[in-house]
Amino acid sequence: MSYPTTPDALTTDWLSDALGQPVTDFSIERFGEGVGVVGQVVRLHLTGTAAPATIIAKFPSPAPENRAVAATYDMYGREVRFYQSLADSVGVRAPACYFAAHDPATEDFVLLLEDLAGYRLGDQVAGASVEDARRVVDAIARLHGETWEDTERLGLRSHNNPAQRDGMIAGFDLGWPVVLERFGELVPANARSAGTRMGRSTAGLLEEMCRGPVCLSHADVRLDNLFFGDDEVLFVDWQSICSSAPEMDLAYFLTQSLTPAVRRSEDFCARYFEALRAHVPSYDRSEFERRYRVSALYLLNYAVVIAGTLDLGNERGVALAQALIERSMTALDELDAFALLSS
């Protein structure tokens, strides 16, 4: 079945075929700032006897540089495959998927997903509240516990792969001077010198993270990808799903989606570890603490690539980049994680 690759290419005939329900008319609602960095996301209002009233449609990014990043990491393909075969078996809820298709030759794709308008979307620029942070930490632990050492059966490739390694090294080297120029006042002195060594250390950090034990990693657990209901947290944007250390998701969320004040308000690492131990009683605390520190340092690559190489597009994108750099630098300084670069 052929499929549209932009919102403007949608038709009632194609939507009817994709949904398996007649659609007689539709309108496109385009979101405001900050929605869809490496993809284009719109809400569709549908008219039809049995079709959903609204759905979410995702397409490739119209920005060539952002689409290139997605292609480097197979982000579109990974998300489509997740919805096609894994979404119902990972221990946390994702939106229902009505249609998913991807062409690896062109990197065109389309997803039709459940509209989560009735849920509250997180805001990474604002940061998580203490209560929301607790709920997300518990959900991450459940995701990891349900998929512990099961990544081969799930068909996941390791986060430690040549494309990821080389892309992070190149992205950091390209983005670091831009970060220093745009957000230099947020970078402490010890991080400035560490930045010149980060690219050379990335391969070793990746190897240590992915040596095992590993589980399914969402690999993009940040507030802009989380929806909150009365009694559940829903994860969206499964574009980075992989096999990796459990600490990777936790470190990304705690060091880049929480303000320093919220992160310091309680021991979220201890909360996660106890929740994970309900699934994996044998996991060693010292191993957990070591890999958390390694993961947090590695994930500085994410902040630098986003802040220094992507088309941020608008004021909120700039504010997001600033938040990522400030929070990650503060957290890494408190963990003394930059010392790992010399070891």
Side-chain angles (χ1 to χ4, degrees):
M1 180 180 180
S2 62
Y3 53 88
T5 59
T6 68
D8 293 334
L10 289 165
T11 66
T12 54
D13 286 344
W14 183 85
L15 287 169
S16 298
D17 288 341
L19 296 171
Q21 303 289 347
V23 175
T24 57
D25 197 9
F26 71 94
S27 62
I28 300 171
E29 178 186 348
R30 301 181 191 271
F31 292 105
E33 294 185 351
V35 177
V37 176
V38 294
Q40 188 173 14
V41 185
V42 298
R43 174 178 286 122
L44 304 180
H45 296 262
L46 308 179
T47 302
T49 55
T54 59
I55 61 173
I56 298 298
K58 295 186 69 171
F59 304 91
S61 171
E65 57 268 49
N66 295 8
R67 183 165 174 154
V69 169
T72 297
Y73 303 115
D74 187 31
M75 297 174 78
Y76 301 153
R78 277 193 269 186
E79 185 166 38
V80 167
R81 292 191 296 272
F82 169 79
Y83 281 109
Q84 288 174 334
S85 60
L86 298 179
D88 296 330
S89 61
V90 296
V92 297
R93 190 159 99 74
C97 181
Y98 305 114
F99 184 87
H102 169 246
D103 182 350
T106 64
E107 287 301 325
D108 286 329
F109 86 102
V110 64
L111 282 168
L112 300 182
L113 301 172
E114 172 189 3
D115 186 4
L116 301 178
Y119 293 79
R120 172 172 54 87
L121 175 61
D123 183 348
Q124 191 170 8
V125 174
S129 67
V130 172
E131 180 56 35
D132 282 352
R134 291 172 182 153
R135 296 172 67 188
V136 174
V137 166
D138 291 347
I140 295 173
R142 188 166 62 254
L143 170 69
H144 296 161
E146 292 287 340
T147 61
W148 189 261
E149 292 283 68
D150 198 25
T151 56
E152 185 174 347
R153 182 186 66 82
L154 296 174
L156 300 173
R157 71 173 181 175
S158 173
H159 194 61
N160 183 21
N161 63 77
Q164 185 69 32
R165 180 197 64 225
D166 296 345
M168 286 290 97
I169 293 172
F172 188 94
D173 289 345
L174 182 64
W176 184 246
V178 179
V179 166
L180 291 179
E181 179 182 352
R182 292 177 177 173
F183 310 109
E185 72 280 3
L186 304 176
V187 181
N190 61 339
R192 285 177 176 269
S193 61
T196 62
R197 306 195 304 275
M198 185 68 186
R200 298 193 300 272
S201 301
T202 292
L205 295 172
L206 264 172
E207 182 177 351
E208 190 164 358
M209 284 167 53
C210 298
R211 186 177 298 136
V214 294
C215 59
L216 183 153
S217 176
H218 179 281
D220 199 13
V221 180
R222 56 190 182 88
L223 276 176
D224 286 351
N225 289 336
L226 299 169
F227 285 78
F228 297 85
D230 292 337
D231 57 357
E232 62 181 342
V233 179
L234 284 82
F235 289 55
V236 301
D237 281 359
W238 294 84
Q239 297 176 332
S240 302
I241 185 172
C242 62
S243 164
S244 187
E247 294 82 5
M248 179 177 169
D249 283 339
L250 180 69
Y252 190 38
F253 177 69
L254 294 183
T255 64
Q256 298 189 31
S257 282
L258 273 59
T259 64
V262 170
R263 180 171 47 78
R264 296 168 185 148
S265 66
E266 61 182 74
D267 192 342
F268 290 107
C269 284
R271 182 185 184 95
Y272 168 88
F273 186 74
E274 290 307 311
L276 180 66
R277 285 285 294 265
H279 298 271
V280 191
S282 61
Y283 196 43
D284 181 69
R285 180 64 184 261
S286 61
E287 176 80 352
F288 163 74
E289 292 175 350
R290 179 183 64 83
R291 290 212 292 175
Y292 178 83
R293 191 163 166 248
V294 168
S295 297
L297 178 60
Y298 164 76
L299 289 161
L300 178 60
N301 282 294
Y302 278 33
V304 170
V305 168
I306 292 172
T309 71
L310 294 186
D311 176 7
L312 301 175
N314 50 58
E315 291 183 6
R316 189 184 186 279
V318 174
L320 173 61
Q322 179 173 330
L324 296 182
I325 295 299
E326 183 173 16
R327 292 169 190 169
S328 59
M329 290 294 176
T330 301
L332 292 172
D333 197 28
E334 292 175 6
L335 286 167
D336 193 27
F338 294 115
L340 294 171
L341 295 174
S342 59
S343 61

